[in-house]
């Protein structure tokens, strides 16, 4: 392993991206992810890589598209309103089979909202916030070290499947500091070659990258190929974590920062004799439906806890499908639930 550093979540994501071989980073400032942009501004030029503070979020995602076309590892980051502005470009990336990493450090909404942590971008991230039949792989870290690990993974998955990958964090995770042990930088020259890239056509036929075709039959086949790739991702890339579920009567379903808080709730509940467990999706798309479905066969209740009005709750109910009770507890507007408030909600549904 590489150095052990004390980093903010935003800094860990940025440093992991650099070590993953990110060659081009384009973004526009927005709180609470500003430290990510600042870290890239300090270090990318020093390494001979490209950093551009774009004139807008739309410009930034368009620059990502261009860099992805030539086959380099590229990334952008923003927070909720900025990600909304990038949605058309993300759809273009997906339709053009282009790998890229997009980081969303979520804040309260709708609209400009506030700069406090929230999880209300779940549906936008997992159901395709732009137009067309597409998905992005969505990874949800719950600690600063995991934010670094999943950033490294995001670049690998993007290249493997030629698709955009989103890292979905929140303002609390972006701002908190933890010790992080980051791996040694990858050898960029040793990364898999991309014969499809638009790197010049000397001595070969030109590569054409586009998401546009006026022939409906051709566009139909392009869409079918995308759907086949998504089925492969669903079969191979589901990630999740279970805590104390072996004998649980009630399970909390939570991701990201809320899952981190819920780990403490599990300990508190068990100290009071409540058999509580935790189910944490790490991939929000593809969602771990089958593991949660199997778990719901042997518990009485799956309590979804989110910093939203119940966006992941939809996927929890789809997975559980009335095999167990599926109550919901959520905080809104940037309010973070406390361990005590979650435990109080658990007690309403336990037993």
């Amino acid at each position: 392993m590489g150095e052990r550093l004390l980093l903010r979540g935003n800094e860990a994501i940025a440093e992991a991206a650099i070590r993953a071989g990110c060659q081009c980073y384009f973004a526009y400032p927005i709180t609470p992810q500003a430290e990510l942009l600042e870290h890239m501004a300090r270090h990318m030029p020093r390494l001979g890589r490209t950093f551009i503070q774009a004139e807008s979020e739309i410009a930034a995602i368009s620059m990502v598209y261009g860099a992805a076309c030539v086959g380099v590892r590229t990334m952008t980051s923003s927070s909720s309103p900025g990600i909304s502005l990038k949605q058309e470009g993300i759809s273009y990336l997906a339709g053009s089979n282009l790998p890229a990493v997009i980081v969303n450090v979520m804040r309260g909404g709708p609209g400009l909202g506030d700069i406090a942590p929230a999880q209300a971008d779940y549906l936008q991230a997992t159901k395709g916030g732009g137009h067309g039949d597409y998905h992005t792989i969505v990874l949800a870290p719950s600690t600063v070290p995991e934010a670094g690990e999943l950033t490294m993974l995001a670049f690998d998955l993007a290249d493997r499947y030629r698709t955009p990958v989103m890292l979905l964090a929140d303002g609390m995770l972006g701002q908190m500091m933890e010790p992080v042990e980051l791996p040694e930088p990858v050898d960029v020259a040793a990364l898999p070659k991309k014969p499809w890239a638009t790197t010049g056509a000397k001595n070969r036929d030109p590569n054409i990258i586009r998401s546009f075709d006026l022939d409906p039959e051709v566009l139909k086949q392009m869409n079918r190929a995308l759907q086949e790739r998504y089925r492969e991702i669903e079969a191979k890339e589901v990630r999740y974590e279970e805590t104390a579920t072996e004998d649980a009567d009630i399970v909390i379903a939570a991701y990201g920062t809320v899952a981190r808080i819920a780990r403490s709730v599990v300990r508190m509940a068990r100290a009071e004799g409540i058999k509580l467990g935790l189910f944490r999706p790490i991939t929000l798309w593809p969602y771990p439906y089958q593991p949660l479905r199997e778990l719901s066969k042997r518990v009485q209740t799956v309590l979804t806890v989110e910093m939203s009005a119940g966006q992941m709750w939809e996927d929890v109910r789809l997975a559980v499908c009335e095999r167990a009770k599926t109550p919901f507890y959520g905080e809104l507007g940037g309010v973070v639930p406390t361990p005590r408030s979650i435990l109080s909600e658990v007690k309403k549904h336990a037993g």
Side-chain angles (χ1 to χ4, degrees):
M1 296 298 289
E3 302 170 82
R4 187 171 175 83
L5 305 170
L6 182 65
L7 298 173
R8 281 190 175 95
N10 286 330
E11 295 165 338
I13 294 167
E15 184 60 27
I18 290 170
R19 295 181 182 224
C22 179
Q23 296 295 301
C24 296
Y25 171 83
F26 314 101
Y28 185 80
I30 185 171
T31 305
Q33 63 86 56
E35 294 83 5
L36 200 164
L37 184 146
E38 291 166 0
H39 190 95
M40 299 299 262
R42 282 194 300 270
H43 297 290
M44 290 287 279
R46 176 178 61 81
L47 296 168
R49 303 182 189 184
T50 300
F51 165 87
I52 296 178
Q53 181 175 309
E55 62 268 32
S56 70
E57 288 87 353
I58 296 171
I61 196 67
S62 299
M63 293 175 187
V64 167
Y65 185 99
C69 281
V70 300
V72 300
R73 288 191 161 184
T74 182
M75 185 175 91
T76 188
S77 65
S78 191
S79 186
S80 306
I83 294 293
S84 294
L85 291 168
K86 295 177 191 285
Q87 288 303 321
E88 182 181 25
I90 295 171
S91 175
Y92 283 4
L93 286 164
S96 300
N97 300 297
L98 288 173
V101 174
I102 302 115
V103 178
N104 183 359
V105 183
M106 294 180 283
R107 58 190 255 181
L112 284 178
D114 60 23
I115 61 172
Q119 294 181 319
D121 301 356
Y122 177 94
L123 289 175
Q124 180 193 63
T126 61
K127 307 304 179 186
H131 56 288
D133 287 313
Y134 79 94
H135 285 285
T136 59
I137 298 173
V138 183
L139 305 172
S142 66
T143 68
V144 174
E146 188 179 38
E149 293 166 9
L150 292 183
T151 301
M152 302 283 289
L153 175 64
F155 282 97
D156 290 341
L157 292 177
D159 281 352
R160 187 179 306 158
Y161 294 105
R162 286 185 62 181
T163 187
V165 177
M166 180 171 286
L167 190 80
L168 198 63
D170 63 69
M172 178 170 282
L173 184 61
Q175 295 297 318
M176 70 170 62
M177 298 186 77
E178 289 186 286
V180 181
E181 191 166 351
L182 291 166
E184 293 294 336
V186 302
D187 180 357
V188 175
L191 291 172
K193 303 302 179 186
K194 297 175 179 177
W196 48 264
T198 54
T199 53
K202 186 176 182 179
N203 300 321
R204 66 164 172 80
D205 292 334
N207 289 333
I208 298 174
I209 294 175
R210 65 186 181 192
S211 62
F212 176 78
D213 201 294
L214 287 174
D215 186 336
E217 283 299 320
V218 174
L219 191 60
K220 173 182 172 181
Q221 295 308 317
M222 289 167 58
N223 271 274
R224 280 188 168 171
L226 275 179
Q227 299 309 310
E228 289 174 7
R229 188 180 316 148
Y230 296 148
R231 301 296 82 79
E232 181 184 1
I233 293 169
E234 287 176 320
K236 295 180 179 179
E237 303 300 343
V238 169
R239 289 170 168 81
Y240 65 98
E241 178 184 75
E242 294 187 34
T243 302
T245 59
E246 297 82 2
D247 63 342
D249 296 322
I250 178 170
V251 168
I252 293 173
Y255 72 94
T257 290
V258 176
R260 180 193 187 102
I261 298 168
R263 290 192 191 97
S264 297
V265 180
V266 170
R267 292 192 294 270
M268 293 163 64
R270 294 218 164 230
E272 296 187 27
I274 301 171
K275 293 182 178 179
L276 178 66
L278 170 64
F279 183 86
R280 179 175 75 97
I282 298 171
T283 49
L284 302 183
W285 194 87
Y287 194 79
Y289 288 111
Q290 189 59 35
L292 182 54
R293 187 170 295 126
E294 292 302 316
L295 179 59
S296 70
K297 294 176 182 178
R298 51 187 174 86
V299 301
Q300 299 173 10
T301 303
V302 179
L303 169 64
T304 305
V305 184
E306 297 180 70
M307 292 189 289
S308 76
Q311 297 193 12
M312 187 182 71
W313 191 28
E314 293 189 7
D315 281 328
V316 170
R317 285 179 290 172
L318 280 171
V320 174
C321 197
E322 299 184 348
R323 295 177 184 84
K325 298 175 184 177
T326 53
F328 171 75
Y329 168 52
E331 292 287 3
L332 304 172
V335 175
V336 180
T338 66
R340 287 292 173 190
S341 67
I342 298 175
L343 181 60
S344 176
E345 197 67 26
V346 167
K347 288 179 177 178
K348 292 179 186 178
H349 304 286

